[in-house]
Amino acid sequence: MKYGLLNYIENQKYFNVGDNIQSLAAKQFLPKVDKYIDRESLASYDGDQVKLIMNGWFIHNTTNWVPSDKIIPLFVSFHMNNTAAPSMLSDKGIAYLKKYEPIGCRDEFTVKILNEKGIEAYFTGCLTLTLDSYKVDDSERGEDVYIVDPLYNYPSKQRLFYNSKVTIKNLLNGKALQLRKKQKHLEKIISKDILETAKYIDQEPLNNITDQEKFKMAEDLLKSYARAKLVITSRIHCALPCLAMGTPVIYINGFDSFVDSCRFDGILELFNRIDINSQTGAYNANFPLEGKIDANTMVENLGLHHKLAEPLKERCKKFIAE
């Protein structure tokens, strides 16, 4: 049997290294990788028959769904975004998913929309919760605090001035005037010292490197997070691996659109979390926090992910062994 691994060939200015991190989570269960298969071209795959772990976010190119019959899929940690669901859940799409049910879903939202179409589905959580293979001994943990894409849904130069057309639109609608909002809201919850000394990571950088380099970047980030004193992030594919690796992590949740929030149903409960009102900056934490996050802030991960990670490992191992 041959084994495939998802990769992500998108003609966009930026890429999300969180996708590659999810593929690394799948890769650890494979005896080898015989073929990289583009998530957006699953229907057109015409190579050798392969087993493929189908985890992650699906999809941009809904015209290329359903996958080729040369792909033997395992559906775990599968997220169907609400923007793609109407096209993916055509009669053909429903019949395809029913063929491989039960479908293991990354979030409760996906479970719900599949169940509504008569597809047997269950909640697995995210496969990145199994990345404890990157965990290091606590003696190797340093003093670095990482701030990874905090409140990245807020207005930013990257998003507001993407091209001339978008720039004009955001100047006219007033969004360009909100550029300072993210910094103001972060200053309410993170001390000046941490904001000035932390290491900042962008998990959605320019799409100007090779596929191999993207996977190398994902691996290097995991190794860095594994040795961190603390990680503060709004990226679930930073926070979830941190849980797996035992790295203290605080998740900053400032999302207010359903396109974003539907991804989190069943996942947010796993984190030490600060919820921020994106309009007012008012916030509350689900863990003891006196004042702002500073050099003395100590958090212990909740440990709730273990009940999801272990069944995921067993399901993937069984799929490969079958």
Side-chain angles (χ1 to χ4, degrees):
M1 177 57 66
K2 294 188 181 296
Y3 302 92
L5 187 69
L6 288 172
N7 68 349
Y8 313 91
I9 302 171
E10 301 172 25
N11 295 319
Q12 297 186 16
K13 188 173 182 180
Y14 303 95
F15 76 97
N16 186 347
V17 74
D19 289 331
N20 300 88
I21 290 173
Q22 290 177 93
S23 283
L24 289 179
K27 183 181 179 181
Q28 64 187 336
F29 298 102
L30 306 180
K32 56 182 177 174
V33 178
D34 296 295
K35 184 71 176 178
Y36 287 91
I37 302 177
D38 176 28
R39 176 186 62 189
E40 303 300 321
S41 305
L42 292 167
S44 55
Y45 174 72
D46 194 31
D48 294 326
Q49 190 173 64
V50 293
K51 284 189 173 183
L52 180 67
I53 296 176
M54 296 275 282
N55 64 309
W57 188 100
F58 290 82
I59 53 177
H60 294 295
N61 184 14
T62 56
T63 61
N64 221 312
W65 183 263
V66 299
S68 162
D69 59 10
K70 292 191 174 182
I71 294 172
I72 303 170
L74 170 65
F75 284 97
V76 290
S77 305
F78 175 74
H79 170 69
M80 182 180 292
N81 198 261
N82 73 308
T83 57
S87 297
M88 292 180 71
L89 292 175
S90 63
D91 290 344
K92 182 180 179 182
I94 292 170
Y96 174 79
L97 289 171
K98 286 187 70 65
K99 182 178 178 182
Y100 296 104
E101 61 186 6
I103 306 299
C105 301
R106 199 177 75 183
D107 52 273
E108 295 285 7
F109 169 78
T110 302
V111 174
K112 179 176 179 290
I113 60 172
L114 296 188
N115 285 166
E116 287 174 350
K117 295 295 184 179
I119 301 165
E120 186 181 349
Y122 65 104
F123 175 62
T124 65
C126 184
L127 200 59
T128 58
L129 291 172
T130 68
L131 283 168
D132 53 332
S133 54
Y134 286 84
K135 186 175 182 177
V136 300
D137 188 84
D138 282 342
S139 63
E140 296 184 48
R141 195 173 299 285
E143 292 297 314
D144 291 331
V145 174
Y146 285 85
I147 297 180
V148 183
D149 288 338
L151 302 176
Y152 67 86
N153 57 307
Y154 279 35
S156 66
K157 290 181 180 179
Q158 177 177 310
R159 290 169 179 261
L160 293 181
F161 308 132
Y162 182 80
N163 57 37
S164 57
K165 182 178 179 180
V166 172
T167 298
I168 293 170
K169 176 184 176 181
N170 288 316
L171 287 170
L172 292 174
N173 65 21
K175 287 187 177 180
L177 302 176
Q178 300 179 33
L179 279 175
R180 277 280 301 158
K181 183 170 75 168
K182 179 167 77 171
Q183 189 65 23
K184 287 180 180 178
H185 287 187
L186 289 176
E187 288 171 355
K188 290 185 177 184
I189 61 173
I190 304 175
S191 71
K192 180 180 178 182
D193 179 58
I194 294 295
L195 287 172
E196 290 179 349
T197 61
K199 293 188 174 183
Y200 286 81
I201 301 293
D202 179 3
Q203 282 199 184
E204 196 168 350
L206 283 170
N207 192 5
N208 59 359
I209 59 176
T210 67
D211 206 44
Q212 185 177 7
E213 289 170 326
K214 291 175 184 178
F215 278 105
K216 176 69 163 52
M217 178 186 291
E219 195 146 21
D220 288 345
L221 285 175
L222 290 175
K223 291 176 180 178
S224 295
Y225 299 156
R227 290 166 171 78
K229 176 184 178 181
L230 175 67
V231 173
I232 303 166
T233 186
S234 296
R235 292 282 185 189
I236 58 172
H237 295 116
C238 167
L240 292 167
C242 284
L243 295 183
M245 297 183 293
T247 298
V249 59
I250 297 173
Y251 185 81
I252 309 297
N253 176 32
F255 294 96
D256 54 12
S257 75
F258 188 66
V259 172
D260 288 311
S261 62
C262 74
R263 299 182 294 127
F264 306 144
D265 194 2
I267 291 176
L268 290 185
E269 292 80 358
L270 303 176
F271 302 129
N272 288 307
R273 192 177 77 246
I274 297 176
D275 295 314
I276 298 182
N277 184 309
S278 64
Q279 300 303 313
T280 66
Y283 68 91
N284 63 279
N286 71 340
F287 64 96
L289 178 64
E290 296 183 8
K292 301 179 181 182
I293 300 169
D294 60 23
N296 297 315
T297 299
M298 301 289 290
V299 294
E300 183 176 345
N301 294 338
L302 302 177
L304 301 175
H305 68 285
H306 294 296
K307 64 183 180 183
L308 298 171
E310 296 310 312
L312 273 170
K313 291 178 184 179
E314 292 307 311
R315 184 66 192 93
C316 290
K317 290 175 183 177
K318 181 181 177 183
F319 171 68
I320 297 304
E322 289 172 344

